[in-house]
Short mmCIF file of all heavy atoms in Angstrom, two decimals:
data_model
loop_
_atom_site.label_atom_id
_atom_site.label_comp_id
_atom_site.label_asym_id
_atom_site.label_seq_id
_atom_site.Cartn_x
_atom_site.Cartn_y
_atom_site.Cartn_z
N ASN A 153 3.00 32.93 5.17
CA ASN A 153 3.73 33.15 3.92
C ASN A 153 3.06 34.23 3.07
O ASN A 153 3.74 34.98 2.36
CB ASN A 153 3.82 31.84 3.12
CG ASN A 153 4.69 30.81 3.81
OD1 ASN A 153 5.72 31.15 4.39
ND2 ASN A 153 4.28 29.56 3.78
N PHE A 154 1.73 34.30 3.15
CA PHE A 154 0.99 35.33 2.41
C PHE A 154 1.41 36.73 2.89
O PHE A 154 1.67 37.63 2.08
CB PHE A 154 -0.51 35.12 2.61
CG PHE A 154 -1.37 36.19 2.01
CD1 PHE A 154 -1.50 36.31 0.63
CD2 PHE A 154 -2.06 37.09 2.83
CE1 PHE A 154 -2.30 37.30 0.08
CE2 PHE A 154 -2.86 38.07 2.27
CZ PHE A 154 -2.98 38.18 0.90
N TYR A 155 1.49 36.89 4.21
CA TYR A 155 1.90 38.19 4.76
C TYR A 155 3.37 38.47 4.48
O TYR A 155 3.77 39.63 4.29
CB TYR A 155 1.59 38.26 6.25
CG TYR A 155 0.12 38.40 6.54
CD1 TYR A 155 -0.57 37.43 7.26
CD2 TYR A 155 -0.60 39.49 6.06
CE1 TYR A 155 -1.94 37.54 7.50
CE2 TYR A 155 -1.97 39.61 6.29
CZ TYR A 155 -2.63 38.64 7.01
OH TYR A 155 -3.98 38.76 7.24
N LYS A 156 4.18 37.42 4.44
CA LYS A 156 5.58 37.61 4.06
C LYS A 156 5.68 38.14 2.63
O LYS A 156 6.51 39.00 2.32
CB LYS A 156 6.34 36.28 4.17
CG LYS A 156 6.73 35.88 5.57
CD LYS A 156 7.50 34.56 5.55
CE LYS A 156 7.85 34.09 6.95
NZ LYS A 156 8.57 32.78 6.92
N ARG A 157 4.82 37.61 1.77
CA ARG A 157 4.82 38.06 0.38
C ARG A 157 4.38 39.52 0.30
O ARG A 157 4.97 40.32 -0.45
CB ARG A 157 3.88 37.17 -0.46
CG ARG A 157 3.72 37.63 -1.90
CD ARG A 157 5.01 37.51 -2.69
NE ARG A 157 4.97 38.26 -3.93
CZ ARG A 157 5.82 39.22 -4.25
NH1 ARG A 157 6.80 39.56 -3.42
NH2 ARG A 157 5.72 39.86 -5.39
N LEU A 158 3.35 39.89 1.07
CA LEU A 158 2.87 41.28 1.07
C LEU A 158 3.97 42.24 1.53
O LEU A 158 4.05 43.37 1.04
CB LEU A 158 1.65 41.41 1.98
CG LEU A 158 0.34 40.77 1.51
CD1 LEU A 158 -0.76 40.99 2.53
CD2 LEU A 158 -0.09 41.32 0.15
N LYS A 159 4.78 41.78 2.47
CA LYS A 159 5.86 42.63 3.01
C LYS A 159 7.15 42.53 2.19
O LYS A 159 8.15 43.16 2.53
CB LYS A 159 6.15 42.24 4.46
CG LYS A 159 4.99 42.54 5.41
CD LYS A 159 5.26 42.00 6.81
CE LYS A 159 4.08 42.24 7.73
NZ LYS A 159 4.31 41.65 9.08
N GLY A 160 7.11 41.71 1.14
CA GLY A 160 8.29 41.57 0.28
C GLY A 160 9.38 40.71 0.86
O GLY A 160 10.53 40.75 0.40
N LYS A 161 9.04 39.91 1.88
CA LYS A 161 10.05 39.06 2.51
C LYS A 161 10.31 37.78 1.72
O LYS A 161 11.31 37.11 1.95
CB LYS A 161 9.62 38.73 3.94
CG LYS A 161 9.64 39.94 4.87
CD LYS A 161 9.30 39.55 6.30
CE LYS A 161 9.38 40.75 7.22
NZ LYS A 161 9.04 40.39 8.63
N ILE A 162 9.38 37.42 0.86
CA ILE A 162 9.61 36.32 -0.09
C ILE A 162 9.22 36.81 -1.48
O ILE A 162 8.37 37.69 -1.62
CB ILE A 162 8.82 35.04 0.28
CG1 ILE A 162 7.31 35.30 0.31
CG2 ILE A 162 9.29 34.45 1.59
CD1 ILE A 162 6.47 34.04 0.51
#
Side-chain angles (χ1 to χ4, degrees):
N153 292 321
F154 175 70
Y155 287 119
K156 282 181 183 178
R157 175 66 196 122
L158 289 179
K159 294 174 183 177
K161 292 184 178 180
I162 59 174

